[in-house]
């Protein structure tokens, strides 16, 4: 099993962006030093808690400071930009990283972003599909472009000057394009099946009950019967500490970042987003029971090294044969504990997990 990391990122909205950007960059630089294989970063425009407004800008700031780690968009919210802009910016970032790049895409899940960009209550899945199809057509085709859809147009026929390069969009470093990954949130997601048919691979979200994560693998196999576990990435909130008391207090308690994370997320997904189904197996259970107090211990693996190893192995046994585990970076309430957890995860937990998987 490979180890990667993912960050939304999500911080208390009172913290200043200049401060949290430094922290988030430090987390990825540390991951690179510790041997994490991949790091994906999310983006939102209208959220003071999730204040990376462009994951591609953020990743570009790390392009020449990271050495080995593969960086990725987690995700580009396709309906919120023009496909020509996305195609050009992704290609540029792929060149900056010389192919050390993964292209994560989604329709976007933050409703205030949808509203500000004018696609709230529209069919964002349809916009998403048209957008990614146009991006791929731009990379596959040659200028002048003449792409017309229901939502977007990409043309340069009237203004192209071929001999000086005007009117053409650069193609990615990787051929024919960077690997494409999609986030999987919905239980028994049909989107996972459709993505698999196109050669895209899924990332199961870190805030899902194990039973819903387990539902993604069969749907992926429906779309790609020859798919292998190594294609599947699963995110899981984890905190590793040197002692059990610290692990439980920081990993599950109200003073730690994980409890804050789920309090914030539940307010967005359940209170404002109508997605209470993600947090309960019995759909008749009242949404009022979905709280940070009830969900954090269920959804965060916390403990000492050996305890976390056992919990990860039990989790994988339950959900299926995923090949990459994404360790989400949460707010560094205590920077020393946060760094130590990342270190223990890379240097002690994963070697023991992989040794057990070989038995």
């Amino acid at each position: 099993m490979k180890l990667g990391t993912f960050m939304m990122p999500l911080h208390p909205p009172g913290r200043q962006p200049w401060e949290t950007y430094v922290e988030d960059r430090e987390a990825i630089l540390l991951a690179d030093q510790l041997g994490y294989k991949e790091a994906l970063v999310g983006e939102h425009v209208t959220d003071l808690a999730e204040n990376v407004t462009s994951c591609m800008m953020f990743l570009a700031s790390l392009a020449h400071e990271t050495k080995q780690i593969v960086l990725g968009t987690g995700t580009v919210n396709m309906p919120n930009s023009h496909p020509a802009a996305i195609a050009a910016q992704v290609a540029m970032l792929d060149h900056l990283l010389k192919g050390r790049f993964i292209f994560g895409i989604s329709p976007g899940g933050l409703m205030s972003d949808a509203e500000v960009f004018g696609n709230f209550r529209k069919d964002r899945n349809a916009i998403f599909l048209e957008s990614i199809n146009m991006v791929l057509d731009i990379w596959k085709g040659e200028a002048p472009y003449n792409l017309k859809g229901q939502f977007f147009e990409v043309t340069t026929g009237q203004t192209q000057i071929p001999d000086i390069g005007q009117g053409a969009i650069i193609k990615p470093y990787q051929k024919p394009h960077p690997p494409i990954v999609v986030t999987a949130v919905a239980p028994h997601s049909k989107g996972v099946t459709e993505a698999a048919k196109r050669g895209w691979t899924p990332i199961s979200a870190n805030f899902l009950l194990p039973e819903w994560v387990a539902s993604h693998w069969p749907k992926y196999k429906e779309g790609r019967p020859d798919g292998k576990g190594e294609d599947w990435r699963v995110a899981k909130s984890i905190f590793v500490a040197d002692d059990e008391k610290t692990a439980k207090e920081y990993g599950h308690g109200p003073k730690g970042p994980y409890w804050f994370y789920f309090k914030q997320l539940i307010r967005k997904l359940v209170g404002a987003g109508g997605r209470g189904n993600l947090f309960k197996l019995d759909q008749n259970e009242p949404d009022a029971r979905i709280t940070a107090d009830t969900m954090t211990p269920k959804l965060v693996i916390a403990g000492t090294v050996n305890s976390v190893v056992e919990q990860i192995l039990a989790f994988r046994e339950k959900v299926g044969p995923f090949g990459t585990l994404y360790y989400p970076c949460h707010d560094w309430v205590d920077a020393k504990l946060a760094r130590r957890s990342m270190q223990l995860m890379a240097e002690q937990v994963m070697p023991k997990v992989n040794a057990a998987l070989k038995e």
Side-chain angles (χ1 to χ4, degrees):
M1 185 193 298
K2 294 193 297 184
L3 177 63
T5 187
F6 162 81
M7 59 174 68
M8 294 176 77
L10 195 151
H11 301 283
R15 295 191 66 189
Q16 292 298 311
W18 65 262
E19 179 185 19
T20 60
Y21 295 155
V22 171
E23 179 180 301
D24 294 335
R25 291 181 80 258
E26 186 179 341
I28 292 180
L29 291 170
L30 178 60
D32 188 32
Q33 295 164 16
L34 290 170
Y36 287 64
K37 302 302 183 185
E38 300 171 354
L40 269 64
V41 179
E43 67 177 16
H44 286 301
V45 171
T46 60
D47 193 329
L48 299 180
E50 299 183 48
N51 57 21
V52 169
T53 58
S54 166
C55 53
M56 285 193 278
M57 284 182 67
F58 183 83
L59 294 175
S61 80
L62 290 157
H64 300 300
E65 289 187 62
T66 51
K67 304 302 179 186
Q68 303 295 329
I69 198 165
V70 175
L71 302 179
T73 56
T75 58
V76 174
N77 300 318
M78 303 294 289
N80 301 341
S81 296
H82 194 281
I86 295 171
Q89 290 163 7
V90 168
M92 177 182 173
L93 186 53
D94 197 30
H95 280 276
L96 286 172
L97 289 162
K98 292 185 178 178
R100 202 162 34 91
F101 177 69
I102 297 170
F103 184 25
I105 59 174
S106 76
L110 187 66
M111 292 302 98
S112 55
D113 274 6
E115 181 179 1
V116 82
F117 287 108
N119 54 66
F120 183 52
R121 294 201 175 97
K122 292 184 179 178
D123 188 345
R124 289 181 296 112
N125 285 326
I127 302 171
F128 161 78
L129 284 172
E130 183 174 298
S131 177
I132 185 58
N133 286 337
M134 280 196 176
V135 168
L136 294 173
D137 284 342
I138 289 169
W139 290 338
K140 183 170 56 179
E142 300 295 338
Y145 312 102
N146 186 26
L147 305 174
K148 296 185 179 181
Q150 181 181 353
F151 308 103
F152 303 106
E153 288 189 13
V154 177
T155 62
T156 57
Q158 298 180 64
T159 54
Q160 184 190 24
I161 309 175
D163 58 310
I164 65 170
Q166 180 173 307
I169 296 171
I170 62 171
K171 297 182 185 294
Y173 179 90
Q174 299 176 81
K175 306 301 180 190
H177 55 74
I180 295 176
V181 298
V182 295
T183 49
V185 174
H188 309 285
S189 171
K190 295 179 181 178
V192 169
T193 303
E194 294 305 311
K197 290 177 182 177
R198 300 187 64 161
W200 306 343
T201 52
I203 304 170
S204 297
N206 66 295
F207 48 81
L208 299 177
L209 292 167
E211 290 81 359
W212 298 149
V213 177
S215 76
H216 292 159
W217 181 241
K219 302 305 289 186
Y220 179 72
K221 294 285 281 185
E222 279 183 29
R224 189 175 178 182
D226 64 342
K228 300 176 181 178
E230 63 194 46
D231 301 330
W232 183 23
R233 298 166 172 88
V234 171
K236 185 66 177 175
S237 291
I238 298 170
F239 175 63
V240 197
D242 289 300
D243 65 273
E244 197 67 32
K245 183 174 183 289
T246 301
K248 296 305 180 186
E249 287 181 353
Y250 193 81
H252 290 163
K255 294 182 180 179
Y258 302 86
W259 187 93
F260 164 77
Y261 171 86
F262 281 102
K263 181 181 180 183
Q264 191 90 0
L265 200 67
I266 288 166
R267 179 76 181 274
K268 292 175 180 177
L269 291 177
V270 181
R275 303 295 299 275
N277 65 306
L278 302 179
F279 297 95
K280 53 190 178 183
L281 298 178
D282 179 1
Q283 298 305 312
N284 294 317
E285 182 183 351
D287 283 353
R289 293 185 185 174
I290 304 171
T291 67
D293 288 327
T294 60
M295 299 313 301
T296 306
K298 288 183 181 180
L299 296 175
V300 177
I301 290 176
T304 56
V305 168
N306 288 338
S307 171
V308 168
V309 169
E310 291 174 3
Q311 291 177 73
I312 290 173
L313 290 170
F315 174 69
R316 191 173 185 269
E317 181 69 24
K318 186 168 189 174
V319 305
F322 62 87
T324 301
L325 174 62
Y326 276 175
Y327 172 105
C329 288
H330 294 278
D331 187 77
W332 284 9
V333 171
D334 185 316
K336 184 177 179 180
L337 289 177
R339 292 190 194 97
R340 180 62 173 160
S341 178
M342 289 184 68
Q343 179 187 10
L344 290 171
M345 187 70 194
E347 296 179 351
Q348 297 190 39
V349 171
M350 290 306 294
K352 290 189 175 186
V353 166
N354 282 318
L357 291 176
K358 290 177 182 177
E359 292 177 356

